[in-house]
Amino acid sequence: MTSRLVIGRVTAHVTAHTTNHKPRRHRRPFRRSFLRRKAAGENQGTSEALRLLYDEPNSVDQAEKILLALCQGQEAAESYCQKFRKWSVLTKWNEDALAAIFRKGLSESVKDVMVGFPTPAGLSDSMSLAIQIDRRLRERRVVHTVTLSSERSHEPMQTVSSDVFQSKALAQLILHFGWTWIGLLALESDYGQEGIQLVRKEIVKAGACVAFTETIITRRPDRNAPHIVNILKQSSARVVVVFCRDIDLFPILMEMVKQDVAQLIFVASEALATSTFFQGMSASLVMGMIGVALNSGTIPGLQNFLNKVHPSMPLGGKWAKILWELALIVNLSRRTLPVL
């Protein structure tokens, strides 16, 4: 009797409540409306990922498919990392799996350099290394573009000394310390081969001897490191002149650590000696390296000239046109510029 009375009261209460309650029209689920309100103040990509996570029943499968198809292409590594991070939070893959998929989607140029490095520990380390390599490659691309533009205009883009002076400086540095048994290591490009031949000429003229001459092959992912390190290991020369870029020497250094080759002195060209690429890395990799750097100074009157120069001017006009096109990303050949 008591249980029937309690049930009857509860039923009456629920009936009265539902009868008096007027349902709202077009009421949206709280979760979806909350995400839409947040989307106004958040990054669009993050909002999209959150919407997918909460609104779509197969969000994990979709995120994994997107990651497997994601590639860096021509975009910067930072942008690729942001997209990868956005979708990786929706997957159930572990850190090692995400790192492997991330490295697979990198551009071929970045992967070619990364193969000479030790495999990063996880996704964050892989992203940091990829960004560092990509930035350096883009810097070299910009320098190469400016150099080619300067050659086409027959006017100098920057006041940099010829490699002849750099080669003489390297030879003088070697002779200053009394080193007479020298190894030579150079990039296969014109910069490396021409530079190292100038060094050879200068040190031989001064009475020193060349123990070996080896080439860093950029077409190979390992930069020919195993062969080069074997030569370093077998040779009695303890001083090696290096004419190459920083990213091309690193695989050689890592192979030296792998084969336990030490007590070498590297005499580096300007492109390597002034590089910041090795900052934050183990000091044992670059210990014993010396080099030359170009002297910088203020050229009187240059700043005033640069502030006044214009593409329509007869003096410096060609140089200014190239600079403006590179800086502003426009084609001035199709535009009529006012004469100042």
Side-chain angles (χ1 to χ4, degrees):
M1 184 67 181
T2 304
S3 61
R4 290 182 179 179
L5 180 61
V6 172
I7 294 173
R9 288 179 179 178
V10 172
T11 305
H13 173 75
V14 173
T15 303
H17 178 75
T18 54
T19 303
N20 295 330
H21 176 70
K22 295 181 180 180
R24 296 179 182 178
R25 294 182 179 179
H26 307 293
R27 188 179 183 186
R28 295 173 179 172
F30 170 76
R31 181 177 54 202
R32 189 171 299 177
S33 61
F34 171 75
L35 287 177
R36 290 181 179 178
R37 288 197 302 271
K38 288 197 71 178
E42 291 184 348
N43 178 272
Q44 184 178 1
T46 305
S47 299
E48 183 182 358
L50 289 172
R51 182 192 63 77
L52 183 63
L53 176 62
Y54 287 102
D55 289 351
E56 300 292 338
N58 298 322
S59 60
V60 174
D61 293 338
Q62 292 186 21
E64 290 176 352
K65 289 179 181 178
I66 291 173
L67 279 185
L68 289 173
L70 192 62
C71 295
Q72 179 186 353
Q74 298 298 322
E75 66 182 356
E78 289 92 337
S79 177
Y80 172 60
C81 290
Q82 290 174 0
K83 293 178 182 179
F84 196 93
R85 280 289 191 192
K86 180 183 73 175
W87 296 109
S88 65
V89 298
L90 306 181
T91 68
K92 295 181 179 180
W93 290 328
N94 59 30
E95 187 80 2
D96 292 338
L98 287 171
I101 296 170
F102 169 79
R103 292 192 292 267
K104 184 179 178 181
L106 288 168
S107 67
E108 294 301 320
S109 58
V110 174
K111 286 193 285 190
D112 286 345
V113 178
M114 187 176 283
V115 75
F117 288 71
T119 303
L123 180 60
S124 296
D125 290 345
S126 296
M127 287 184 170
S128 299
L129 180 58
I131 290 173
Q132 187 178 10
I133 293 172
D134 185 69
R135 285 177 178 173
R136 183 57 181 161
L137 290 174
R138 291 177 183 274
E139 288 174 3
R140 299 297 303 178
R141 223 170 283 144
V142 170
V143 171
H144 181 66
T145 302
V146 172
T147 302
L148 290 179
S149 301
S150 173
E151 291 174 353
R152 286 195 297 268
S153 66
H154 303 289
E155 294 185 21
M157 289 293 291
Q158 52 184 345
T159 54
V160 178
S161 302
S162 167
D163 284 340
V164 174
F165 299 104
Q166 180 181 182
S167 302
K168 289 183 177 181
L170 288 171
Q172 291 175 7
L173 185 62
I174 291 169
L175 298 174
H176 172 76
F177 289 102
W179 297 323
T180 57
W181 189 230
I182 312 297
L184 303 178
L185 180 61
L187 204 61
E188 62 178 345
S189 64
D190 291 342
Y191 166 77
Q193 293 301 310
E194 292 176 4
I196 208 68
Q197 292 304 321
L198 289 170
V199 173
R200 171 194 280 272
K201 179 180 178 181
E202 293 295 328
I203 61 176
V204 170
K205 185 191 299 183
C209 298
V210 176
F212 60 84
T213 302
E214 291 297 328
T215 301
I216 299 174
I217 303 175
T218 55
R219 299 187 305 273
R220 296 181 54 175
D222 62 2
R223 300 302 193 270
N224 199 28
H227 169 73
I228 292 173
V229 174
N230 282 332
I231 297 298
L232 296 176
K233 210 172 180 182
Q234 297 170 11
S235 176
S236 58
R238 298 292 88 191
V239 180
V240 181
V241 180
V242 186
F243 240 93
C244 71
R245 304 173 300 176
D246 43 19
I247 59 176
D248 296 310
L249 180 65
F250 190 80
I252 313 297
L253 298 176
M254 295 306 301
E255 185 67 23
M256 288 175 59
V257 174
K258 183 179 178 181
Q259 296 194 29
D260 194 24
V261 177
Q263 297 181 349
L264 287 179
I265 299 174
F266 286 105
V267 182
S269 61
E270 185 272 337
L272 181 61
T274 59
S275 171
T276 60
F277 185 75
F278 298 107
Q279 288 183 355
M281 298 182 182
S282 175
S284 62
L285 294 177
V286 290
M287 187 171 293
M289 181 181 294
I290 62 174
V292 297
L294 300 178
N295 184 31
S296 60
T298 302
I299 302 177
L302 179 61
Q303 184 174 356
N304 292 334
F305 170 76
L306 294 177
N307 291 336
K308 296 177 181 178
V309 73
H310 188 272
S312 63
M313 296 173 59
L315 181 61
K318 292 182 180 179
W319 174 85
K321 178 177 176 293
I322 295 171
L323 178 62
W324 284 25
E325 287 181 339
L326 289 174
L328 304 176
I329 315 178
V330 295
N331 187 357
L332 299 179
S333 300
R334 301 179 181 178
R335 299 173 182 266
T336 302
L337 297 171
V339 179
L340 300 181

